[in-house]
Amino acid sequence: MSLKPRNINFDLVWDELRDTVLKVLTLQHVNRTVWSNRFGDVYVLCVAHPEPLADRLYLETKLFLENHVFKLLEERVLVDSEIKDDTTSSGPTASADLLLARYHEVWKEYSEGSKYLNNIYQYLNNQHIKKQKLNEAEVVYGCINQSDSQEKMEIGDLALEIWNQYMIQRLGDELVDQILKGINAERTSANNSQSNSSTNFIKGVIQSFVAVQEYRRKGSLKLYQDLFEKRMLEESAQHFRMVASELLQVCTVSQYMEKIIKKFEEEEKLANIYLHASSLPKLRKVCEEEMVTKHMNFLYSECKEMVAEERSADLRNLYILLKPVTDGLKRLIDVFLEHIKEQGKKTIACMKGDLVHIQFVENMLDVHRKYEELIHRTFRSDPLFLGALDKACARIINEKHSNNQVCRSAELVAKYCDSLLKKSKTTEGEIDQKLTRSIIIFKYIEDKDVYQKFYSRMLAKRLIHEQSQSMDAEEMMINKLKQACGYEFTNKLHRMFTDISVSTDLNAKFTNYLNENWLETGINFSVKVLQAGAWPLGPTQIVASFAIPQEFEKSIRLFEKFYHINFSGRKLTWLHHLCHGEMKLSFEKRNYIVTMQTYQMAILLMFETTDKYTCKELQASLQLQQEIFQRHLQSLVEAKILLLNEEKMTDDTEVSINTNYNNKRTKFKITTNLQKETPQEVEHTMSAVDEDRKMYLQAAIVRIMKSRKVLRHNALIQEILSQSKVSFAPNVSMIKKCIESLIDKQYIERTPNSGDEYSYVA
């Protein structure tokens, strides 16, 4: 066949092409040669000389398709006599099924045939129709005022559009009526199922509403939505309303929820079988509106009991139903939060004894673990419920029973960590696990600066008295705190570690210094040199008055000389109350090696030359404050190394060495009780926290005002609260006092125009 354009007799070519088009549409066999010739016929018509016949071909094809679909409607779908016969024999349902079945059969044949037909007209589509089509930008922005009906369509799309006009537009309402009856019958049937053939043709008819407009770039689902989806949703709402009304009359809340969830699953299954994917969320929303949203009060009627009894199955069902509803979970979350608070308070209300810190942390961890698992199991780890758990734990942990009473949570968590990090029989794995979990409670603490103070004091004692279980565990804990609160929070803790490692090197150098200069201290002697700014050893704890025993004098003087040679300009202050050592006690029966504090050693050294002293003589010789002297003397009396001639300790009470002292252990300590934290130390820590807070707030105010220059009172308060919430939650009265203090110091001033506005004094 020649591809050269030539004169063509359109009627002659069209007669042959039309016969093939009919066979293709009715899925009859077409010989391969005939098929190829029809491709050629379309081509020669499109390039005919002198005038291309493409437009005429398009119009004739369109007319043919219109006539064909009209005949299908009259001859194969609307077969009146057959429908009437079926109606008389089997009832209205049979006629409905027959209409759907005939339509589905004809649609399947026509839709498949139109795809093959589109291939025959490929040249016409590509060279004439596509070039005349509007591009996407023109369609979206309306650059050309031309509707889809005026625009030529590809032959396959044209076939679908003609089906819509001549078949669906005439039968649509009747088809939808029968589809909805079929779907409703399946909803209400006992086994919730229809025959496969019935299901297939209902599904096929619905899909035809979508398929006929799939070619459209905009509004491809408009026919499906307007003709079918809208009515389907209306009838579904009526059905759901009726089902809900029936269930409410006979079901408890638990039973109602179970049946509604089952109904949701059934509807989703039906939707997946019959409907377009876009209809599923709409159908579910209608179902939720009619069966959940309108009956919220009923669903919530047993909410408190469910939460109080922790009925996981009911709570899970309630969550599933309320989750999609706007603000549907709010009441459940509030009830759940209050329940956690109540249970948490109960667990910590009965705490007492010396192990309160362990009870507090582990009880709170048990509460947190229990409800975290419940949320994971019941509420699918929903962030809203995890947030409620966080709020509840934060309120329990930070609760103050009165305005004047200090919240002890920070202190108790610090003591818990201290108990883990001290030397014990606990394995390193257990310590790591418990310290990691303690961070959970730490994160809820508002007064993190209080925790930092207590933790640093306890760390100092562990490092100074060499009581740490593991330096690796200590460092791991500091790193966890740094991750939670930042570098500034643990800066001083890192410096304390550095001092200990530096002191080890310093002692090695001191030993070399002694060896090189042929010097001896007479005793085994090591020193820890600590930076005053890094360690929580304030001046109130430093006891200045103490007559150093002669046995220690030489060692101290030699170290001071060595230190000043290597570090000129630095001042050493000896903290004797933090020193300890081992002393050998020789009695008639046996010898003992006892670890004790410096003041205890000094008291015992007084008895090397004399058997008896009065308390007044001992205190005067040692130059110790009375309270400190009595406390250390009492510890030696309780250890039965020293004896008193009377129970009550006075200035005239005689103290003597117990020459008959006997102990099963030859090596022991008598420093434990002295290292326990006293109420005075706790009070000092809290007052130190208050002072630090005042300085922090004043620095924050100056920083903010320097940046803003002028700021109103309320805005300044909010800025300060925002900046300080990482470390603590200051009360407004303290902030006001700090503002007044800075006004007095002339850092800021009130503006002349307003009494509640401040300006920075440059």
Side-chain angles (χ1 to χ4, degrees):
M1 183 186 74
S2 173
L3 297 178
K4 186 177 179 181
R6 64 184 187 276
N7 289 324
I8 297 294
N9 184 335
F10 180 86
D11 293 331
L12 186 63
V13 175
W14 170 243
D15 286 342
E16 293 182 351
L17 179 59
R18 182 176 54 200
D19 291 341
T20 305
V21 168
L22 180 60
K23 286 183 179 181
V24 168
L25 285 175
T26 54
L27 300 182
Q28 297 178 45
H29 175 71
V30 177
N31 185 278
R32 184 181 294 274
T33 304
V34 174
W35 179 267
S36 300
N37 289 337
R38 297 298 82 82
F39 271 101
D41 291 342
V42 171
Y43 171 77
V44 296
L45 289 172
C46 289
V47 298
H49 182 80
E51 185 73 27
L53 300 171
D55 290 341
R56 187 176 174 188
L57 174 62
Y58 181 86
L59 291 173
E60 288 291 343
T61 305
K62 181 181 179 184
L63 182 62
F64 174 81
L65 290 171
E66 289 171 350
N67 291 331
H68 178 71
V69 172
F70 186 76
K71 285 180 182 179
L72 290 176
L73 174 66
E74 295 293 332
E75 295 175 7
R76 294 182 60 185
V77 178
L78 295 178
V79 189
D80 292 338
S81 58
E82 291 185 24
I83 291 177
K84 286 175 184 176
D85 291 343
D86 287 339
T87 303
T88 56
S89 60
S90 306
T93 306
S95 68
D97 284 352
L98 186 59
L99 176 64
L100 293 176
R102 286 183 179 280
Y103 173 90
H104 179 244
E105 179 187 355
V106 174
W107 161 251
K108 273 184 68 178
E109 178 185 88
Y110 181 83
S111 60
E112 190 173 349
S114 64
K115 293 176 185 175
Y116 291 119
L117 183 63
N118 197 59
N119 290 334
I120 291 180
Y121 282 82
Q122 191 171 17
Y123 186 83
L124 177 69
N125 290 336
N126 292 337
Q127 299 301 320
H128 291 269
I129 296 174
K130 283 186 178 179
K131 289 183 178 180
Q132 297 175 24
K133 274 193 173 184
L134 303 178
N135 62 40
E136 190 171 349
E138 291 170 334
V139 172
V140 173
Y141 297 106
C143 298
I144 299 175
N145 189 14
Q146 188 174 2
S147 65
D148 282 347
S149 60
Q150 295 171 315
E151 182 186 350
K152 284 189 173 68
M153 293 183 284
E154 293 182 37
I155 297 303
D157 298 340
L158 176 66
L160 295 176
E161 182 59 32
I162 289 171
W163 180 271
N164 176 25
Q165 291 177 10
Y166 286 86
M167 187 73 75
I168 293 177
Q169 294 302 324
R170 299 187 184 190
L171 289 179
D173 291 339
E174 192 174 351
L175 288 171
V176 171
D177 287 341
Q178 307 315 321
I179 291 169
L180 293 176
K181 284 179 183 177
I183 292 175
N184 196 50
E186 187 164 354
R187 277 174 172 156
T188 55
S189 63
N191 58 3
N192 200 30
S193 63
Q194 292 189 356
S195 65
N196 286 336
S197 59
S198 178
T199 299
N200 286 338
F201 59 66
I202 291 175
K203 180 179 178 181
V205 174
I206 294 171
Q207 285 178 341
S208 75
F209 300 156
V210 177
V212 293
Q213 290 190 340
E214 276 184 332
Y215 67 89
R216 291 192 175 187
R217 286 171 288 189
K218 286 180 67 179
S220 59
L221 292 175
K222 191 174 187 308
L223 174 67
Y224 167 81
Q225 292 167 348
D226 293 345
L227 180 64
F228 169 72
E229 186 183 70
K230 186 177 179 181
R231 282 189 57 191
M232 180 272 296
L233 293 175
E234 289 172 355
E235 292 204 11
S236 296
Q238 188 176 353
H239 170 73
F240 298 146
R241 200 177 303 125
M242 182 183 68
V243 171
S245 178
E246 291 172 357
L247 292 175
L248 287 169
Q249 294 175 16
V250 296
C251 293
T252 62
V253 176
S254 298
Q255 293 169 340
Y256 181 80
M257 290 191 297
E258 288 174 2
K259 291 185 182 297
I260 293 303
I261 289 172
K262 186 179 179 183
K263 182 66 177 172
F264 278 7
E265 291 170 354
E266 291 171 357
E267 289 298 322
E268 187 170 348
K269 185 179 177 183
L270 274 176
N272 287 328
I273 293 172
Y274 294 121
L275 307 182
H276 187 267
S278 64
S279 296
L280 181 57
K282 298 175 186 177
L283 181 65
R284 186 173 184 88
K285 188 174 181 180
V286 170
C287 189
E288 288 162 358
E289 177 67 26
E290 296 297 335
M291 306 186 85
V292 178
T293 308
K294 289 183 178 180
H295 307 290
M296 293 277 279
N297 290 334
F298 175 72
L299 291 171
Y300 268 124
S301 60
E302 294 183 15
C303 179
K304 288 186 178 179
E305 290 79 0
M306 290 180 197
V307 173
E309 297 166 16
E310 296 178 7
R311 285 148 48 183
S312 294
D314 285 345
L315 289 172
R316 189 184 305 113
N317 290 340
L318 187 61
Y319 171 78
I320 291 169
L321 293 176
L322 297 179
K323 172 69 175 172
V325 179
T326 305
D327 292 332
L329 294 171
K330 190 174 185 302
R331 283 166 63 185
L332 176 58
I333 291 168
D334 291 341
V335 173
F336 187 67
L337 188 151
E338 290 301 319
H339 175 69
I340 299 174
K341 277 174 60 182
E342 184 181 336
Q343 295 302 309
K345 287 177 182 177
K346 281 182 183 177
T347 59
I348 62 175
C350 54
M351 299 186 308
K352 57 184 177 181
D354 292 336
L355 301 178
V356 168
H357 53 285
I358 295 175
Q359 295 170 26
F360 174 77
V361 175
E362 294 189 349
N363 288 356
M364 279 307 305
L365 283 172
D366 289 341
V367 169
H368 187 275
R369 185 189 301 111
K370 174 185 175 181
Y371 289 105
E372 190 175 44
E373 289 174 359
L374 179 67
I375 291 168
H376 176 71
R377 189 175 62 250
T378 306
F379 303 126
R380 301 173 182 175
S381 299
D382 192 303
L384 293 173
F385 286 88
L386 291 172
L389 173 62
D390 289 341
K391 285 180 184 177
C393 290
R395 289 181 191 176
I396 298 164
I397 290 169
N398 297 296
E399 185 176 29
K400 297 178 182 178
H401 298 290
S402 65
N403 291 331
N404 296 327
Q405 190 173 2
V406 177
C407 178
R408 292 192 62 206
S409 299
E411 176 191 351
L412 294 175
V413 177
K415 284 184 176 178
Y416 177 78
C417 296
D418 180 59
S419 67
L420 290 173
L421 291 165
K422 277 183 178 177
K423 287 181 179 177
S424 65
K425 295 181 180 179
T426 312
T427 64
E428 283 196 23
E430 289 177 309
I431 292 171
D432 289 354
Q433 186 180 10
K434 288 183 176 181
L435 287 174
T436 301
R437 288 194 59 76
S438 73
I439 294 293
I440 295 172
I441 306 302
F442 167 76
K443 287 180 179 178
Y444 291 122
I445 295 172
E446 288 180 356
D447 298 331
K448 289 184 171 61
D449 56 340
V450 176
Y451 174 93
Q452 200 262 2
K453 278 288 180 190
F454 277 102
Y455 187 88
S456 61
R457 285 174 54 79
M458 293 167 185
L459 173 63
K461 286 186 177 183
R462 292 196 300 274
L463 295 177
I464 290 170
H465 298 300
E466 299 172 359
Q467 293 178 330
S468 289
Q469 171 90 347
S470 161
M471 295 304 282
D472 290 338
E474 294 279 8
E475 196 165 2
M476 181 202 72
M477 185 61 187
I478 292 173
N479 287 332
K480 288 183 184 298
L481 294 174
K482 182 166 70 173
Q483 289 173 5
C485 297
Y487 175 75
E488 285 298 321
F489 189 83
T490 56
N491 183 24
K492 289 185 178 180
L493 305 181
H494 281 294
R495 285 165 63 191
M496 289 161 69
F497 259 86
T498 304
D499 285 351
I500 295 299
S501 60
V502 168
S503 294
T504 303
D505 296 337
L506 196 63
N507 280 297
K509 291 179 181 178
F510 179 56
T511 302
N512 291 335
Y513 168 77
L514 294 176
N515 293 334
E516 288 170 2
N517 293 280
W518 300 92
L519 300 171
E520 289 186 4
T521 59
I523 58 174
N524 290 329
F525 180 77
S526 66
V527 178
K528 294 182 176 69
V529 179
L530 316 177
Q531 298 177 63
W535 293 72
L537 309 170
T540 54
Q541 295 181 336
I542 299 173
V543 182
S545 59
F546 173 55
I548 301 169
Q550 189 177 355
E551 291 81 356
F552 303 155
E553 188 78 31
K554 183 180 179 182
S555 300
I556 291 171
R557 298 293 169 256
L558 283 172
F559 185 83
E560 285 181 342
K561 183 179 179 182
F562 157 77
Y563 191 80
H564 290 310
I565 289 171
N566 288 277
F567 305 99
S568 61
R570 295 188 186 179
K571 181 183 177 183
L572 286 177
T573 303
W574 293 90
L575 307 179
H576 299 294
H577 64 292
L578 295 175
C579 299
H580 65 277
E582 286 185 351
M583 177 179 280
K584 184 178 180 181
L585 302 179
S586 299
F587 293 93
E588 291 182 2
K589 294 182 180 180
R590 65 199 307 185
N591 298 331
Y592 302 94
I593 296 175
V594 187
T595 302
M596 61 184 77
Q597 288 189 335
T598 306
Y599 298 150
Q600 293 168 320
M601 296 172 73
I603 292 170
L604 288 177
L605 286 170
M606 294 290 292
F607 290 91
E608 276 208 298
T609 54
T610 308
D611 292 336
K612 287 183 181 179
Y613 285 100
T614 64
C615 288
K616 187 176 182 180
E617 290 171 341
L618 276 174
Q619 186 182 344
S621 298
L622 297 171
Q623 297 178 18
L624 285 172
Q625 295 176 8
Q626 186 172 3
E627 181 188 350
I628 296 170
F629 169 74
Q630 288 183 353
R631 188 151 55 94
H632 286 79
L633 178 60
Q634 186 64 37
S635 66
L636 293 169
V637 171
E638 288 174 358
K640 299 182 180 179
I641 296 175
L642 296 180
L643 301 174
L644 302 179
N645 67 340
E646 56 188 12
E647 287 187 12
K648 188 176 180 181
M649 192 183 299
T650 64
D651 287 349
D652 298 327
T653 301
E654 287 188 353
V655 184
S656 60
I657 194 82
N658 181 9
T659 54
N660 297 318
Y661 178 77
N662 187 31
N663 195 328
K664 291 180 182 179
R665 298 172 63 187
T666 58
K667 192 171 183 178
F668 56 92
K669 293 180 180 181
I670 55 173
T671 60
T672 308
N673 291 334
L674 294 173
Q675 290 175 8
K676 285 185 178 179
E677 198 161 43
T678 62
Q680 290 82 4
E681 287 178 316
V682 173
E683 187 178 344
H684 168 76
T685 302
M686 295 308 299
S687 63
V689 168
D690 281 339
E691 289 302 316
D692 286 350
R693 285 183 177 181
K694 289 174 185 175
M695 296 303 294
Y696 178 91
L697 290 174
Q698 289 184 27
I701 293 166
V702 171
R703 190 164 53 246
I704 292 165
M705 291 305 302
K706 189 174 182 180
S707 171
R708 299 297 188 87
K709 305 302 179 187
V710 177
L711 204 59
R712 288 195 170 274
H713 177 79
N714 289 338
L716 178 58
I717 295 287
Q718 290 304 316
E719 286 267 12
I720 294 165
L721 290 172
S722 176
Q723 287 193 15
S724 60
K725 67 181 179 182
V726 178
S727 298
F728 65 100
N731 56 55
V732 177
S733 62
M734 179 182 281
I735 296 174
K736 287 180 178 178
K737 287 178 181 176
C738 292
I739 291 172
E740 293 298 329
S741 176
L742 289 172
I743 291 172
D744 293 340
K745 295 175 183 177
Q746 297 183 352
Y747 282 96
I748 61 176
E749 64 183 5
R750 288 187 174 88
T751 58
N753 302 328
S754 176
D756 70 337
E757 190 175 64
Y758 308 105
S759 61
Y760 178 69
V761 178

